[in-house]
Amino acid sequence: MLIRPRRNRKNKVIRKLVEENQVSVSDLIFPLFLINGDRKKEEVPSMPGIFRQSTDLLLEEIESCSRLGIKTFCLFPAVEEKYKDKYAIYSYSHDNFYLKTIEKIKAEIPDVNVMTDVAMDPYSSDGHDGIVENGEIINDPTLEVLAKMAVAQARAGADIIGPSDMMDGRIRYIREALDKEGFSNTSILSYTAKYASSFYGPFRDALDSAPKSGDKKTYQMNPANVKEAILEAKLDQEEGADMLMVKPALPYLDVIRTLKEISNLPVAAYNVSGEYAMIKAAAEKGWLDGPSSMAECLLSIKRAGAKIILTYFAKEYAELIQ
Ligand code: PBG
């Protein structure tokens, strides 16, 4: 035999020398759940190890993650029912705890980047990402709300705006609104190909944000489609997105690869709540080794072509590789 591929696997040093892909802590964005109040911390039942926390504790968590090398955090608010309405007005009202938290993070830990979520669902009494009229999610009037939300977040100091709503035309609408208000340096990481997925269940528990009626299939993508992801990517690019995202990650590795091939923009992937819950549940039962399964899944997302990974495993992974 002239060719023996096993020679490149014969010891740890050689294996590392020929290793094609790595997940670095600097590739990771850590999603965090925020609640209103003081010294409040509640574990999300379907996401062991992940908490909804008030601003004070969240700041401590960000400090501790920052020491591990995690520098970008994506914030999601769990909003009390009394602040929700049809038009998600609370999402851009200046006394809102989400915006105040962004200000605080940027003032107290200025070297970290804050990514936001732009969508109506955490603030909507209908639990949808857009305005509901006669059972329909209406696109164009929703853009107005999204733009107000994005501008308010940029004003609070957000570094990266993350539209997760899947309305048509929202990237251009938000980009123009940001530029008009003087926020031309605020980045947009677009949820380009966000699928109508079953893997968001634990997240909706964390935020109490499940739709009150119907589903999200008229705006989130059909899991069967990949050409449509190319169309969405082209539009986002033309409309001024800085980064593209595929969501969820593991069931859509082919979509990640496709976007990486067709676009020159950095591709991100969202390793969502259900993907986290699956590994945690299997590890709790002793059916999988948690840490190594986590590392293998993150690596697969990287290998598929994502430069950036949003993952609830961020802190655990950073601790593991330290
Ligand atoms: C909603 C939003 C969702 C997630 C992020 N933003 C859920 C949804 O579309 O219902 C899911 C993230 C996760 O499951 O981890 N705008």
Side-chain angles (χ1 to χ4, degrees):
M1 263 185 271
L2 288 177
I3 298 169
R4 289 180 178 270
R6 284 186 56 193
R7 277 195 290 266
N8 280 348
R9 299 176 206 141
K10 72 182 170 194
N11 64 47
K12 212 173 165 189
V13 173
I14 290 186
R15 285 196 297 274
K16 207 70 193 162
L17 270 181
V18 302
E19 187 168 276
E20 297 172 43
N21 294 283
Q22 290 99 21
V23 177
S24 311
V25 176
S26 57
D27 299 326
L28 305 179
I29 297 181
F30 195 9
L32 296 171
F33 300 127
L34 177 66
I35 44 174
N36 209 353
D38 296 305
R39 308 310 292 173
K40 270 202 195 160
K41 184 171 181 172
E42 310 162 355
E43 192 168 36
V44 180
S46 46
M47 301 178 75
I50 296 297
F51 299 85
R52 325 197 297 181
Q53 324 183 51
S54 53
T55 308
D56 44 2
L57 298 179
L58 199 87
L59 273 139
E60 290 171 17
E61 173 72 345
I62 291 176
E63 294 266 18
S64 110
C65 291
S66 172
R67 283 193 290 275
L68 289 164
I70 303 166
K71 296 292 178 187
T72 307
F73 300 86
C74 182
L75 304 190
F76 294 97
V79 177
E80 291 156 90
E81 221 42 54
K82 63 177 178 197
Y83 293 121
K84 298 186 184 181
D85 63 37
K86 246 188 129 35
Y87 300 100
I89 288 169
Y90 187 64
S91 67
Y92 51 88
S93 68
H94 60 89
D95 58 346
N96 137 358
F97 68 101
Y98 183 76
L99 298 172
K100 282 194 191 148
T101 303
I102 299 173
E103 277 170 21
K104 241 190 158 133
I105 296 168
K106 292 305 294 181
E108 293 179 21
I109 325 170
D111 74 312
V112 308
N113 277 354
V114 174
M115 172 176 168
T116 62
D117 182 54
V118 173
M120 287 175 58
D121 56 330
Y123 315 91
S124 152
S125 46
D126 294 306
H128 274 287
D129 294 21
I131 299 171
V132 183
E133 230 167 55
N134 305 319
E136 265 182 50
I137 317 304
I138 47 171
N139 195 89
D140 300 10
T142 297
L143 299 181
E144 190 81 37
V145 180
L146 300 175
K148 283 186 183 159
M149 204 186 299
V151 167
Q153 293 169 351
R155 187 163 286 129
D159 301 280
I160 305 171
I161 302 291
S164 68
D165 55 284
M166 290 303 280
M167 295 301 119
D168 290 337
R170 89 263 206 221
I171 300 303
R172 177 189 300 273
Y173 206 92
I174 290 171
R175 181 73 271 160
E176 286 176 354
L178 289 172
D179 289 356
K180 203 168 133 239
E181 295 294 324
F183 300 109
S184 53
N185 274 332
T186 307
S187 309
I188 300 179
L189 192 167
S190 174
Y191 287 61
T192 298
K194 177 173 179 180
Y195 287 89
S197 169
S198 304
F199 289 88
Y200 306 147
F203 174 97
R204 293 177 190 170
D205 293 343
L207 297 193
D208 297 319
S209 64
K212 301 276 157 66
S213 68
D215 54 39
K216 297 191 173 187
K217 290 181 183 166
T218 67
Y219 46 107
Q220 299 181 348
M221 286 176 52
N222 180 345
N225 295 352
V226 62
K227 281 193 177 166
E228 206 175 318
I230 300 176
L231 171 64
E232 289 283 5
K234 284 193 171 143
L235 289 170
D236 280 358
Q237 222 161 258
E238 284 164 18
E239 293 181 25
D242 300 290
M243 297 170 244
L244 307 178
M245 183 150 74
V246 175
K247 175 182 177 187
L250 294 174
Y252 298 89
L253 296 177
D254 58 323
V255 183
I256 295 173
R257 167 51 55 97
T258 303
L259 292 205
K260 155 130 173 131
E261 278 167 3
I262 62 132
S263 175
N264 293 321
L265 293 178
V267 175
Y270 199 143
N271 179 222
V272 300
S273 57
E275 300 172 50
Y276 178 86
M278 275 198 300
I279 291 180
K280 284 290 171 187
E284 256 179 33
K285 279 191 169 281
W287 292 352
L288 278 181
D289 177 67
S292 63
S293 312
M294 152 186 80
E296 188 175 332
C297 284
L298 294 177
L299 183 61
S300 76
I301 298 167
K302 194 78 196 284
R303 195 184 64 237
K307 172 58 186 68
I308 303 160
I309 307 173
L310 279 86
T311 180
Y312 302 97
F313 285 119
K315 190 174 187 188
E316 203 179 322
Y317 183 79
E319 283 166 343
L320 181 74
I321 65 167
Q322 240 200 356

